[in-house]
C-alpha cells in the first residue's frame, strides 16, 4: 500500500496558520516519491539540499482530516493512547532541545538547518507545534499508515540504522528488516544440532581462522509478499557442515591455501589437532554466492523498471562485463550463476544496491541478503568466532569433485570430526590473541591508528592460527559466563 500525505503538503503546513489549516483539511495524496534532504559538505559544515515530495491525484473525504485520523486512532487503539501519553515528556524534551540548538545556530549567523547524530534533519521553526499535541500525530500514523503532516507535527521516521542496524544494505530500506515477511524453509532442521561446548574442549588444539558468510541451508520461497516463480536453494554458511560430509567449501585455491596454512601450523606448533574456526563475515558477503543473485533475479520479475532505466543499468554493467545479458533478460539468473568468479556477482549486486537504482524501481538487494541469512547469524556482529569449530583432515587434501557439491564453489575440504560451537561468540581480537598482539601500534600510511576494518582485512590476508592454551580458555570462559 502506497504511503499517503494527509491534509496539506509539508511545504504548505509551515507555521501556526499552516498547522491549523492542515488539521482540518479533508484530503490525502498518495506519495510517489518521498521528500529528501541531502547534505553537501563544505568547509567542515553540512548544507541541506531539499527535494520536495511528489504526489498523485488528491482524494477527498472527511475521514482524511489529520484531526479525524488522530482522534479515531486514539479511540480505536487504547494502547496507542497510553503509549503516546507515556512518550509525551520525552518528546517534549527532545523537541525543545532541538529547537534550542537550531535557534542558537540562527543566532550565530547559521541557517538553522542542522543534522542530528542519526543523520536526521533539524529545522528551526519559530512557530513550532506545541509538543503536547505530538501523541495525536503518533496515533494518526497508526490509524492511517505512513502519515505525514498529522495534527501534532510529524511522526519521526525510522532512521536508516533503525531499519537496518547490521547494514545489510547500502541504502535506506522501506521497512525494518526485523519485520520483513519472507519464507525461508531451512533444510538444517532435518540435521542434528551442533553440540555446544565450553572453551576447555579446545584446550591444546590449534584453531585456524576461516572466514565464512552467514547464509543458511534451505529454500527461499517468498519475500515481501512476492511468491517466487522459481524458489531459491541455498547451501551456504556454517550449516554446510551439517548438510554434507565436508568441513568447508570454496574455490580450489582457497581450500588449498587453508590446508597449506593448517599444515604449517602443525609443523610450527607440533600439534596435530587443527580445527577450522568459523569467523562471521560482513552481512553483504553473501553477494559472492549464486543463490543471492538468484533471489534478486526473482525480485526483478516483480520490479517496475522502465526499458530506459534498465538500459542505463545494463550499459553501466557492460563497461566491465560486456556479455551481461541485462536485468530484464530471462537469462539474467543463468548468466549470474555461470560466472566463474563470485567477484562478478558481488560487483553487480553492489552496483544495484544504490539509491540511484532504487529510485528507478530496482529491487532492494539488502532484503535478499537478509532473507538468505541463517536466523542464528542475522544479528551477530562481524568478525566474531565461536559459531563453529570443525576438525579438519589436513593430510586428506582437497576434494575436487564432492559428491554433494556446493552451488557456488567447486571444491570441498575433508573433515576429521563433527562440528561444535560455543554458546555465544568471541570477538576475533580476543580469540586470535597472539596475532592481534602483532597489530598493536599499527598505523595507516598517514600515521593514524589502523581502523578495525583494516585489521579485519589484514586478518583475512594472513589466515592466522591460535594455540588454545589455558590462558585463552580462562579468558573465553569468563566472557561466556563459565
Amino acid at each position: 500500500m502506497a504511503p499517503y500525505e494527509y491534509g496539506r503538503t509539508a511545504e504548505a503546513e509551515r507555521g501556526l496558520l499552516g498547522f491549523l489549516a492542515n488539521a482540518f483539511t479533508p484530503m490525502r495524496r498518495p506519495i510517489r516519491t518521498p521528500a529528501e534532504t541531502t547534505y553537501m559538505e563544505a568547509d567542515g559544515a553540512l548544507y541541506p539540499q531539499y527535494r520536495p515530495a511528489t504526489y498523485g491525484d488528491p482524494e477527498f473525504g472527511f475521514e482524511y482530516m489529520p484531526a479525524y485520523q488522530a482522534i479515531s486512532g486514539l479511540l480505536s487503539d487504547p494502547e496507542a493512547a497510553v503509549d503516546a501519553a507515556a512518550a509525551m515528556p520525552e518528546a517534549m524534551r527532545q523537541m525543545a532541545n532541538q529547537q534550542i540548538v537550531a535557534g542558537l545556530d540562527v543566532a550565530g549567523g547559521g541557517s538553522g538547518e542542522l543534522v542530528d547524530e542519526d543523520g536526521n534533519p533539524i529545522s528551526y521553526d519559530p512557530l513550532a507545534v506545541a509538543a503536547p499535541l505530538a501523541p495525536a500525530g503518533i496515533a494518526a500514523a497508526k490509524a492511517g499508515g505512513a502519515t505525514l503532516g498529522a495534527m501534532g507535527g510529524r511522526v519521526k521516521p525510522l532512521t536508516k540504522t533503525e531499519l537496518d542496524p547490521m547494514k545489510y544494505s547500502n541504502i535506506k530500506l522501506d521497512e525494518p528488516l526485523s519485520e520483513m515477511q519472507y519464507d525461508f524453509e531451512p533444510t538444517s532442521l532435518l540435521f542434528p544440532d551442533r553440540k555446544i561446548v565450553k572453551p576447555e574442549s579446545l584446550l591444546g588444539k590449534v584453531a585456524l581462522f576461516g572466514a565464512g558468510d552467514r547464509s543458511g541451508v534451505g529454500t527461499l520461497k517468498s519475500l515481501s509478499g512476492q511468491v517466487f516463480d522459481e524458489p531459491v536453494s541455498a547451501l551456504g554458511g556454517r550449516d554446510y557442515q551439517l548438510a554434507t560430509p565436508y568441513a568447508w567449501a570454496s574455490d580450489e585455491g582457497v581450500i588449498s591455501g587453508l590446508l597449506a596454512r593448517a599444515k604449517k601450523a602443525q609443523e610450527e606448533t607440533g600439534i596435530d589437532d587443527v580445527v577450522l574456526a568459523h569467523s562471521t563475515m560482513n552481512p553483504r558477503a553473501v553477494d559472492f554466492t549464486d543463490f543471492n543473485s538468484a533471489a534478486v533475479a526473482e525480485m526483478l520479475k516483480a520490479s517496475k523498471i522502465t526499458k530506459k532505466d534498465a538500459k542505463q543499468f545494463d550499459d553501466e554493467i557492460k563497461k566491465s562485463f560486456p556479455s551481461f545479458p541485462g536485468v530484464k533478460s530471462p537469462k539474467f539468473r543463468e548468466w549470474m550463476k555461470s560466472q566463474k568468479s563470485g567477484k562478478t556477482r558481488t560487483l553487480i549486486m553492489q552496483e544495484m544496491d544504490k539509491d540511484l537504482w532504487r529510485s528507478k524501481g530496482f529491487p532492494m538487494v539488502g532484503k535478499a541478503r537478509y532473507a538468505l541469512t541463517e536466523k542464528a547469524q542475522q544479528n551477530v556482529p562481524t568478525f566474531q568466532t565461536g559459531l563453529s569449530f570443525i576438525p579438519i583432515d589436513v593430510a586428506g587434501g582437497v576434494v575436487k569433485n564432492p559428491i554433494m557439491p556446493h552451488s557456488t564453489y567447486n571444491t570441498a575440504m575433508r573433515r576429521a570430526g563433527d562440528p561444535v560451537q560455543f554458546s555465544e561468540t568471541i570477538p576475533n581480537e580476543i580469540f586470535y590473541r597472539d596475532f592481534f598482539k602483532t597489530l598493536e601500534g599499527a598505523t595507516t600510511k598517514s600515521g593514524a591508528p589502523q581502523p578495525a576494518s583494516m585489521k579485519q582485512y589484514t586478518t583475512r590476508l594472513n589466515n592466522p592460527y591460535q594455540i588454545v592454551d589455558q590462558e585463552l580458555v580462562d579468558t573465553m570462559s569468563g566472557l561466556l559466563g563459565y
Side-chain angles (χ1 to χ4, degrees):
M1 183 180 72
Y4 287 90
E5 177 95 32
Y6 285 77
R8 311 185 87 186
T9 64
E11 291 72 33
E13 193 195 347
R14 301 284 289 185
L16 181 60
L17 293 178
F19 159 67
L20 293 173
N22 171 70
F24 300 97
T25 299
M27 181 193 307
R28 73 174 184 178
R29 299 174 177 84
I31 302 172
R32 299 304 186 204
T33 58
E36 182 181 23
T37 301
T38 56
Y39 295 87
M40 178 180 67
E41 184 173 4
D43 301 324
L46 293 174
Y47 296 89
Q49 311 291 313
Y50 179 75
R51 185 187 70 184
T54 60
Y55 307 93
D57 294 332
E59 303 172 18
F60 297 88
F62 176 80
E63 67 275 17
Y64 298 150
M65 283 186 187
Y68 176 89
Q69 290 273 307
I71 294 170
S72 62
L74 289 171
L75 291 177
S76 64
D77 192 344
E79 289 186 6
V82 173
D83 291 344
M88 188 164 56
E90 177 63 17
M92 292 172 65
R93 185 190 67 79
Q94 289 184 4
M95 177 181 286
N97 285 346
Q98 290 176 350
Q99 287 300 303
I100 290 171
V101 172
L104 289 173
D105 182 65
V106 172
S111 65
E113 299 283 342
L114 304 174
V115 190
D116 66 15
E117 61 183 9
D118 292 326
N120 301 307
I122 301 172
S123 301
Y124 176 68
D125 186 354
L127 298 176
V129 177
L133 294 176
I138 296 172
K142 294 197 70 174
T147 308
L148 308 175
M151 180 173 163
R154 281 174 179 69
V155 177
K156 182 180 178 181
L158 294 176
T159 65
K160 180 180 177 182
T161 299
E162 290 169 335
L163 293 165
D164 179 18
M166 290 294 297
K167 299 182 179 179
Y168 280 85
S169 180
N170 187 51
I171 64 175
K172 186 174 182 179
L173 301 175
D174 61 355
E175 62 178 327
L177 284 178
S178 60
E179 299 177 12
M180 182 182 73
Q181 299 296 311
Y182 65 97
D183 180 9
F184 183 86
E185 186 176 299
T187 309
S188 57
L189 293 177
L190 304 176
F191 309 134
D193 292 334
R194 266 181 202 78
K195 182 180 179 181
I196 296 177
V197 299
K198 296 181 179 180
E200 61 193 45
S201 69
L202 298 181
L203 182 63
K205 301 180 187 295
V206 172
L208 177 64
F209 175 86
D213 68 53
R214 302 162 181 256
S215 57
V217 174
T219 304
L220 181 60
K221 299 180 177 181
S222 68
L223 179 58
S224 290
Q226 178 193 350
V227 178
F228 289 173
D229 295 334
E230 300 176 67
V232 176
S233 296
L235 186 64
R238 64 172 187 155
D239 280 353
Y240 173 81
Q241 300 165 345
L242 300 179
T244 74
Y246 308 113
W248 207 253
S250 191
D251 291 330
E252 183 177 351
V254 174
I255 296 294
S256 297
L258 282 170
L259 288 171
R261 184 68 171 143
K263 184 173 179 59
K264 185 177 181 180
Q266 289 177 327
E267 294 171 348
E268 292 179 345
T269 65
I271 299 173
D272 290 332
D273 290 339
V274 179
V275 296
L276 192 63
H278 179 279
S279 177
T280 51
M281 297 176 71
N282 185 292
R284 305 178 198 179
V286 73
D287 286 353
F288 200 89
T289 69
D290 67 310
F291 41 82
N292 184 63
S293 57
V296 172
E298 291 299 306
M299 296 169 74
L300 280 166
K301 294 178 181 179
S303 300
K304 297 179 180 180
I305 305 170
T306 66
K307 291 182 178 179
K308 178 182 177 182
D309 292 337
K311 183 179 185 304
Q312 182 183 353
F313 181 86
D314 296 345
D315 289 345
E316 183 65 29
I317 298 302
K318 287 179 180 180
K319 292 176 183 178
S320 301
F321 309 106
S323 65
F324 181 66
V327 289
K328 283 185 168 289
S329 170
K331 296 182 179 180
F332 173 85
R333 181 171 176 170
E334 177 186 346
W335 185 90
M336 293 288 279
K337 179 179 176 62
S338 70
Q339 298 310 294
K340 293 182 179 180
S341 173
K343 292 181 180 178
T344 301
R345 291 185 286 269
T346 297
L347 291 172
I348 294 174
M349 291 297 99
Q350 288 177 344
E351 176 62 31
M352 193 178 294
D353 188 26
K354 292 181 178 179
D355 286 314
L356 169 65
W357 305 115
R358 175 55 195 157
S359 68
K360 296 177 183 294
F362 281 70
M364 294 186 178
V365 179
K367 290 188 171 186
R369 294 169 180 150
Y370 185 84
L372 288 167
T373 298
E374 180 196 0
K375 281 189 177 295
Q377 296 192 64
Q378 284 178 339
N379 297 307
V380 174
T382 298
F383 219 47
Q384 300 278 308
T385 292
L387 288 175
S388 179
F389 302 98
I390 187 166
I392 58 176
D393 182 357
V394 179
V398 301
V399 181
K400 294 184 179 180
N401 295 298
I403 57 175
M404 297 181 68
H406 191 287
S407 61
T408 301
Y409 304 114
N410 55 25
T411 308
M413 179 190 297
R414 288 189 175 88
R415 65 202 285 174
D418 294 330
V420 296
Q421 70 174 82
F422 289 160
S423 58
E424 296 180 39
T425 58
I426 300 289
N428 279 0
E429 56 266 31
I430 293 176
F431 189 88
Y432 295 99
R433 177 197 63 207
D434 297 342
F435 176 74
F436 273 85
K437 284 182 180 179
T438 68
L439 299 182
E440 291 178 358
T443 62
T444 63
K445 292 181 179 179
S446 64
Q450 274 194 1
S453 58
M454 185 174 292
K455 290 181 179 179
Q456 291 180 23
Y457 178 72
T458 304
T459 304
R460 290 204 60 189
L461 285 180
N462 286 273
N463 279 112
Y465 66 81
Q466 175 67 48
I467 299 175
V468 183
D469 56 23
Q470 189 61 53
E471 178 188 348
L472 183 58
V473 167
D474 292 343
T475 298
M476 294 191 294
S477 296
L479 289 173
L480 297 176
Y482 294 121

